[in-house]
């Protein structure tokens, strides 16, 4: 058992891992590392920083993911993120969307390892917090193990602190982002081999991992596990994360009470309850009546917290303070 945040993390997910989602997940697990969705470096340099970057101190440990392909801009943005208090800055080298390709960032950067190395080098020079990369096992026809190794070796020379590997290649033409998260097969072996052949590097595996038992199996081979969709669809799998993965015995507040208070506070700041409660939809996963609860959560229904399913959840999860 290691109390190292990257041992278990929740993946950056656009439209999902916003500050409300992160607040909710932090009530369930104290130690799991949380990621923001990708934010373009330029947006940070030119946009409303407070709105884009603000987070609740209880979200620590928290990493921000940057998008972009211009090393100087990425370095400036990284510095601003460090000043805001983020614990890590991560560069997106995995997003295959056509909009992102048009902007020359995301997964297409796997074809230019030197540019990524330059970006990491400039970001490292600008900040003291860890600078990490999230990438794929390959893109298009650059999908051999040796292609990925060449990418990692080049970026490692810039002292990249960690490599988070989504264990699927991306097809940049022909598949949309959603398909690129399910159609190309998972290649865990390539990630395991990378760790075996480069034991001095810190390697985190991502893709298709849905339980803490699976997490522990992967941790025999690599340094960390990153979970994406399962965190949204079945957030309660993280209830045992602090104990099972980090070996700590943390006592968490009552989730519903804390979320109720949070919603009231955010309402005063003009946030619609729906923007918060939509993240709770997965709580009812697999439960009778779950569909109604989910629909109510998605619309921010005022009676959401009065539903019988809540009492059932509370009883079933008594041991875990839900
Ligand atoms: C709705 C959604 C949005 C995503 N947005 C991002 C993103 O902003 N940055 C990123 O690196 N990956 C993004 N991803 C990919 C995830 O981080 C992760 O790599 C992928 O879902 C595979 O992990 P999983 O099988 O555990 O979900 C997104 C995935 C989903 C489902």
């Amino acid at each position: 058992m290691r109390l190292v945040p990257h041992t278990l993390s929740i993946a950056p997910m656009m439209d999902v891992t916003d500050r409300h989602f992160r607040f909710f997940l932090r009530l369930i697990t104290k130690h799991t590392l949380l990621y923001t969705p990708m934010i373009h470096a330029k947006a940070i340099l030119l946009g409303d920083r407070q709105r884009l970057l603000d987070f609740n101190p209880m979200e620590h440990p928290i990493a921000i993911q940057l998008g972009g392909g211009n090393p100087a801009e990425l370095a400036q943005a990284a510095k601003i993120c460090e000043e805001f208090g983020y614990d890590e800055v991560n560069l997106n080298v995995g997003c295959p969307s056509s909009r992102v390709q048009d902007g020359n960032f995301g997964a297409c950067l796997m074809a230019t390892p030197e540019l990524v190395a330059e970006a990491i080098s400039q970001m490292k020079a600008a900040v003291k917090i860890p600078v990490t990369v999230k990438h794929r096992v390959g893109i298009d026809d650059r999908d051999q193990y040796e292609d990925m190794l060449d990418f990692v070796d080049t970026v490692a020379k810039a002292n990249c602190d960690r490599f988070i590997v989504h264990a699927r290649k991306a097809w940049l033409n022909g598949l949309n982002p959603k398909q690129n998260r399910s159609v190309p097969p998972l290649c865990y072996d390539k990630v395991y081999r990378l760790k075996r052949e480069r034991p001095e590097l810190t390697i985190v595996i991502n893709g298709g991992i849905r339980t803490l038992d699976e997490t522990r199996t992967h941790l025999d081979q690599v340094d960390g596990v990153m979970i994406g969709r399962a965190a949204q669809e079945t957030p309660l799998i993280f209830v045992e994360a602090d104990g099972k993965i980090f070996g700590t015995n943390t006592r968490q507040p009552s989730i519903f009470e804390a979320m109720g208070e949070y919603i009231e506070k955010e309402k005063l700041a003009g946030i619609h309850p729906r923007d918060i409660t939509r993240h709770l939809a997965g709580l009812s996963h697999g439960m009778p009546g779950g569909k109604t609860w989910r629909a109510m959560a998605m619309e921010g229904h005022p009676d959401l917290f009065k539903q019988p399913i809540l009492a059932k959840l509370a009883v079933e999860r008594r041991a875990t303070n839900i």
Side-chain angles (χ1 to χ4, degrees):
M1 297 295 174
R2 300 158 284 179
L3 196 59
V4 176
H6 67 243
T7 309
L8 180 62
S9 55
I10 294 181
M13 287 183 283
M14 204 71 84
D15 294 327
V16 178
T17 57
D18 61 16
R19 64 188 178 89
H20 307 309
F21 177 87
R22 299 190 306 259
F23 180 93
F24 165 50
L25 261 295
R26 190 51 87 220
L27 297 172
I28 301 178
T29 165
K30 193 160 177 242
H31 298 296
T32 303
L33 175 61
L34 304 177
Y35 281 77
T36 70
M38 176 176 67
I39 304 175
H40 197 283
K42 256 206 179 93
I44 292 172
L45 298 184
L46 305 175
D48 177 351
R49 280 179 203 163
Q50 197 61 32
R51 188 183 60 77
L52 288 169
L53 300 181
D54 196 27
F55 65 90
N56 189 314
M58 65 91 87
E59 293 175 39
H60 286 292
I62 177 170
I64 184 159
Q65 186 185 60
L66 297 182
N70 178 315
E73 283 175 8
L74 285 164
Q76 278 183 58
K79 177 101 193 100
I80 293 165
C81 295
E82 181 179 56
E83 285 163 5
F84 259 80
Y86 284 94
D87 300 303
E88 169 189 332
V89 58
N90 173 265
L91 179 62
N92 182 321
V93 188
C95 180
S97 90
S98 50
R99 189 181 56 82
V100 161
Q101 282 182 62
D102 290 347
N104 283 322
F105 61 104
C108 64
L109 290 176
M110 283 200 79
T112 52
E114 288 79 10
L115 176 60
V116 176
E118 180 57 28
I120 296 298
S121 174
Q122 292 198 27
M123 290 160 85
K124 289 274 303 173
V127 299
K128 293 191 182 68
I129 52 176
V131 177
T132 65
V133 161
K134 178 169 180 275
H135 63 94
R136 297 272 184 154
V137 291
I139 49 166
D140 298 333
D141 295 326
R142 297 168 69 96
D143 64 352
Q144 296 304 298
Y145 173 76
E146 288 68 25
D147 296 319
M148 175 176 70
L149 190 64
D150 174 57
F151 172 82
V152 169
D153 281 341
T154 306
V155 178
K157 283 192 197 122
N159 292 324
C160 182
D161 289 288
R162 197 181 323 129
F163 293 86
I164 301 153
V165 192
H166 183 176
R168 298 190 158 86
K169 68 178 283 186
W171 281 110
L172 298 185
N173 287 311
L175 292 186
N176 65 31
K178 193 166 179 202
Q179 291 167 322
N180 263 314
R181 291 193 288 266
S182 56
V183 175
L186 286 161
C187 315
Y188 294 142
D189 283 350
K190 285 187 181 169
V191 188
Y192 293 169
R193 183 175 165 195
L194 179 66
K195 179 62 194 176
R196 271 199 313 276
E197 295 184 0
R198 297 291 182 269
E200 70 282 8
L201 300 180
T202 305
I203 306 293
V204 172
I205 196 165
N206 166 245
I209 302 164
R210 302 206 63 94
T211 67
L212 293 188
D213 286 342
E214 288 170 32
T215 296
R216 289 172 71 147
T217 306
H218 287 293
L219 287 175
D220 290 339
Q221 308 282 340
V222 290
D223 302 293
V225 166
M226 173 182 269
I227 294 181
R229 286 162 289 189
Q232 180 190 22
E233 291 160 15
T234 52
L236 291 178
I237 62 167
F238 286 92
V239 156
E240 292 182 302
D242 291 350
K244 271 193 175 169
I245 305 298
F246 294 101
T248 65
N249 200 356
T250 44
R251 213 176 148 65
Q252 299 287 24
S254 155
I255 290 179
F256 291 125
E257 222 168 86
M259 286 312 295
E261 284 170 14
Y262 179 75
I263 289 167
E264 290 310 313
K265 203 168 118 250
E266 290 291 320
K267 261 163 62 179
L268 296 177
I271 301 295
H272 193 287
R274 168 185 60 234
D275 294 339
I276 302 168
T277 57
R278 71 186 182 98
H279 295 303
L280 308 183
L283 278 177
S284 64
H285 177 85
M287 294 190 63
K291 215 168 152 196
T292 312
W293 160 273
R294 214 164 19 255
M296 291 174 82
M298 293 310 284
E299 71 174 63
H301 199 288
D303 291 339
L304 182 68
F305 287 154
K306 295 185 192 139
Q307 291 307 295
I309 195 168
L310 210 73
K312 190 163 170 11
L313 255 174
V315 171
E316 286 187 0
R317 307 279 172 182
R318 203 167 28 212
T320 52
N321 270 343
I322 290 172

